[in-house]
Each structure stands twice: as structure tokens, then as C-alpha cells.
Amino acid sequence: MFPLLFLTFVVAIKVFKKTTPNGKVTVYLGKRDFIDHLDSIDPIDGIVVVENDYLQGRKVYGQVTTTFRYGREEDEVMGVKFSKELVISREQIVPIKKEKQDMTPVQERLLKRLGANAYPFLFQFPQSSPSSVTLQPGDDDQGKPLGVEYTVRIYVGEHEEDKGHKRSSVALAIKKLQYAPPTRGRKLPTSLVSKGFTFSQGKLNLEVTLDREIYYHGEKVAANVIVTNNSRKAVKNIKLFVVQHCEVTMVNTQFSRHVASLETREGCPITPGASFTKQFYLVPLASSNKDRRGIALDGHLKDDDVNLASSTMVADGKTPSDAMGIVISYSIRVKLNCGTLGGELVTDVPFKLMHPAPGTVEKEKATLKKNKSIERTRYENSCYSNDDDDNIVFEDFARLRLNEPE
């Protein structure tokens, strides 16, 4: 008989760390991206390790700040500021004030690994806090990019109002993001518009239907275009755009940018009495818009995994106008060009562009008429709690996330 072999597969956990310039205090974070699930938001959980006898009666404090920059830094003159900074959470970490503190599984494992000089901290995002968004600057923009960003700052001070010295403080840039809901829904966004012409009978009809309501970053957006020409004008060409709409709530302004486009003369001219049907595909990507000023991105520019900003989701009972920060939405815009005298027939069909939740298992069965998506499984952090303590990988926190000079 052959002996039975039992193999155990252990998944390593990546933990990010950053140390103060004097090397006395080190901060550990289990992740840098925190998810807003609409009904709850992931807590910011981490560990602080302080060298023996360093504090000498001083304390370690932590705070989470959000900075909302809505104007260029180089345009700030005569004391006028185009940014708002708000401390959304603050707490004393060392010595610990709370007798009993709730900890996440990652914190419990790190405490076992890092020893007696390790102290946990836990910060909460306010329920109405905006998602992280960065507006891509132009070539001539010198200051920090516009948008919403979050920073965790850990520092040593005499008291809570003491800002601490730079050599004994550390700042870590984090992101607050949203994921797509578990199901993409069965609703197919559609729009039907018509255009009449002066001194001419009949109308030009345009119907646009998308194959789903929610798309993931990197997926093709499929638009089915049906043109029925009952007018006496001819359609010269067809243009399609993926339009990113941004609403900056702080200054009550709105603007839009094309993040993907397509122009075709296929089937054109669509003459009077003729019709045309075709499915077009567009792929909105951040990599295709690297040099375009004002494109909204998820988080910081120098990340390798940067994406276009995700659509802003709101909880049940609220509207997108209730959201704060920079509210993002998307639409497919289709234009029929009828020449100089005929003008254009234009319609917009809204959709959502988002990240799928990690650990999602989704199988899609497509037919010619409709797409179906099945329920997706949500990633569970609790799977870490029973793992070994040795499978932790530490990674230095990247300075580029703060856009700091080297």
C-alpha cells in the first residue's frame, strides 16, 4: 500500500508597512483599498510598532484626513485656497485608551507576529464620505491633481493637538472605492428618439440598446443601433462615444469627457425609406486616455492598476445628487449626421462602469437576445483567521501613492 499524502495550500497575506524617518515607529496596514458596500464601509485596521523606551512619556496618535482639491494649486493667490482638508477620524493609539478593542483577524495575527510593542488601531469612514477620485492633470499643471484623496497619518506627540515632528510621523495614502452589486440586473438600458425636418415630411428614428446595465472595467460596451429613416434626408455617418460625466459637488459644476469613440460610414448613406441595424463595441480604458486633461480616475495617477473612475453608487432611498465629492456617471452617446442642413440626431443611454468584487465567480451565458448573469460569491476576510502566522508577506508602502518627490 502507498502512504497517503495530505497537501495543505496556504495563501500568503500581503501586509503593507511604512516606517517614520527616524526608524522608531512602523505602521502596518493589511490593505490600501477600502470598500464602500453602501450599507457599510470597510474599517481602516492596522498595527503600530514602537521601539522600546522611545516614547518617554509621549503618546502615539492617529488620524484619517480627506482632501478635496477642486482648483489648481498654481492658481491659489492672495490666500485663496482651492482645497478643503477635513479630519474624519482621530484617536490615541499608544497607550491604548480602550480596555477591550475589537480587532480584525489580520490584526490578531499581526499582534502575535510583531510582539509586545505592537498596538492595534481601527478607524471608521463616515457613512457619507465620498469615493477616491483623481482628475488627470494637463501637461502644464504643476501642483497636486484635483480630486478626493484620503491619508492615514500616525505621529508621536505630547498631546492630541500636537501635530508632531516630521521625523516621527508617517503618512499613508489609501483609497475608498465601490464595487459592483452582486448581480448586474436584467434591465437593458435603451433609448428611442426621433427627429423631424422643416419643410419635409416623415421622421428619422434612432433606437439604441445596451446588452447590460453594469460593465466591469476593461469589458466591451455593446450598443445595438437601429436606424429607421422615414424622412427625406440621408444619414451620412454614425458616431458613437462613451461619455464620462463628472459632477463636482463642492463648487456645483458639471463637465463631460469622451473616453472612447468610434466613427463609421458602414451602411451609409442611409437613404430615405431605408433602415440599418448593427451592434457596435467600445472599450473605455484609462490607458487610452493618458494624455487627456480632466479624465476622472480611481485614486492616484502613478499606480500601475489605475482605472477610470467607477460610477458612483448610492444607498436605497437616496439619489446621486445626495452624494458628496465628485459624482461619476457614464453613458453611450450615438450621433447620426444628416449633413450641413439636416443637422444631427443624438441620444444618450446611461450605464454603470465598476469593479467586480474580489473573489467573484460569475458565469455568463449569452444568446442573441439577452445575457444572463448568476449570483456572485462575496470575498470573506474571515478565511484568514485559521491560517498559519508564517504566511504574511510585508511590502513597503509606496511613496508614489502620495505623489511625493523622491
Side-chain angles (χ1 to χ4, degrees), residues 134-182:
T134 295
L135 300 185
Q136 190 160 249
D139 294 335
D140 57 340
D141 294 332
Q142 303 297 323
K144 295 180 179 179
L146 280 63
V148 178
E149 61 181 22
Y150 290 91
T151 303
V152 177
R153 183 170 177 264
I154 308 296
Y155 60 96
V156 177
E158 301 286 345
H159 50 82
E160 190 173 6
E161 299 302 323
D162 186 357
K163 298 300 180 184
H165 197 279
K166 190 173 183 179
R167 66 172 177 267
S168 60
S169 63
V170 62
L172 307 94
I174 60 173
K175 291 193 290 187
K176 177 180 176 289
L177 304 174
Q178 290 181 321
Y179 284 151

Side-chain angles (χ1 to χ4, degrees), residues 217-275:
H217 290 287
E219 284 187 338
K220 293 180 180 179
V221 179
N224 191 59
V225 176
I226 301 175
V227 180
T228 306
N229 191 358
N230 295 324
S231 71
R232 295 184 179 180
K233 300 288 183 180
V235 177
K236 306 294 184 182
N237 60 25
I238 302 173
K239 296 180 181 179
L240 294 94
F241 306 91
V242 175
V243 187
Q244 182 189 72
H245 308 276
C246 301
E247 180 182 350
V248 185
T249 60
M250 179 72 72
V251 289
N252 196 25
T253 60
Q254 297 178 346
F255 60 92
S256 298
R257 295 284 188 274
H258 295 162
V259 293
S261 61
L262 171 67
E263 181 176 353
T264 181
R265 294 180 181 273
E266 183 177 351
C268 297
I270 305 174
T271 55
S275 60

Side-chain angles (χ1 to χ4, degrees), residues 365-376:
K365 296 181 180 180
T367 64
L368 292 176
K369 294 184 178 180
K370 63 181 178 180
N371 289 344
K372 293 183 179 180
S373 60
I374 65 171
E375 288 291 333
R376 301 182 291 135

Side-chain angles (χ1 to χ4, degrees), residues 21-245:
N22 62 14
K24 303 295 184 181
V25 179
T26 303
V27 182
Y28 296 86
L29 280 181
K31 54 187 175 182
R32 297 182 292 188
D33 297 343
F34 299 87
I35 308 306
D36 180 357
H37 304 284
L38 297 184
D39 57 346
S40 65
I41 306 175
D42 292 348
I44 304 168
D45 54 333
I47 297 291
V48 173
V49 176
V50 184
E51 283 200 2
N52 284 328
D53 303 324
Y54 170 64
L55 294 181
Q56 299 294 324
R58 293 178 298 173
K59 300 174 182 178
V60 178
Y61 296 95
Q63 62 183 24
V64 181
T65 61
T66 177
T67 303
F68 186 8
R69 176 163 291 281
Y70 53 90
R72 299 197 310 171
E73 198 171 16
E74 54 264 39
D75 293 337
E76 296 178 341
V77 293
M78 299 180 64
V80 176
K81 288 282 187 181
F82 293 128
S83 66
K84 297 289 185 183
E85 183 175 301
L86 179 66
V87 178
I88 60 175
S89 186
R90 178 182 298 174
E91 193 172 309
Q92 176 182 306
I93 301 174
V94 185
I96 299 176
K97 276 189 172 181
K98 299 178 182 178
E99 294 183 4
K100 186 176 181 181
Q101 183 169 330
D102 294 332
M103 289 189 294
T104 62
V106 174
Q107 283 180 311
E108 292 175 354
R109 295 185 55 194
L110 285 173
L111 284 178
K112 293 178 183 178
R113 177 78 174 266
L114 299 173
N117 293 336
Y119 303 88
F121 64 84
L122 195 72
F123 297 116
Q124 300 285 350
F125 285 98
Q127 197 62 38
S128 59
S129 54
S131 295
S132 299
V133 176
T134 295
L135 300 185
Q136 190 160 249
D139 294 335
D140 57 340
D141 294 332
Q142 303 297 323
K144 295 180 179 179
L146 280 63
V148 178
E149 61 181 22
Y150 290 91
T151 303
V152 177
R153 183 170 177 264
I154 308 296
Y155 60 96
V156 177
E158 301 286 345
H159 50 82
E160 190 173 6
E161 299 302 323
D162 186 357
K163 298 300 180 184
H165 197 279
K166 190 173 183 179
R167 66 172 177 267
S168 60
S169 63
V170 62
L172 307 94
I174 60 173
K175 291 193 290 187
K176 177 180 176 289
L177 304 174
Q178 290 181 321
Y179 284 151
T183 58
R184 301 211 208 188
R186 297 182 179 180
K187 179 182 177 182
L188 300 182
T190 186
S191 175
L192 176 60
V193 293
S194 300
K195 177 182 176 69
F197 300 91
T198 307
F199 308 119
S200 177
Q201 293 181 348
K203 290 185 177 182
L204 176 64
N205 301 310
L206 169 62
E207 181 178 358
V208 180
T209 304
L210 306 185
D211 64 337
R212 63 187 54 170
E213 185 180 9
I214 298 175
Y215 293 90
Y216 298 149
H217 290 287
E219 284 187 338
K220 293 180 180 179
V221 179
N224 191 59
V225 176
I226 301 175
V227 180
T228 306
N229 191 358
N230 295 324
S231 71
R232 295 184 179 180
K233 300 288 183 180
V235 177
K236 306 294 184 182
N237 60 25
I238 302 173
K239 296 180 181 179
L240 294 94
F241 306 91
V242 175
V243 187
Q244 182 189 72
H245 308 276

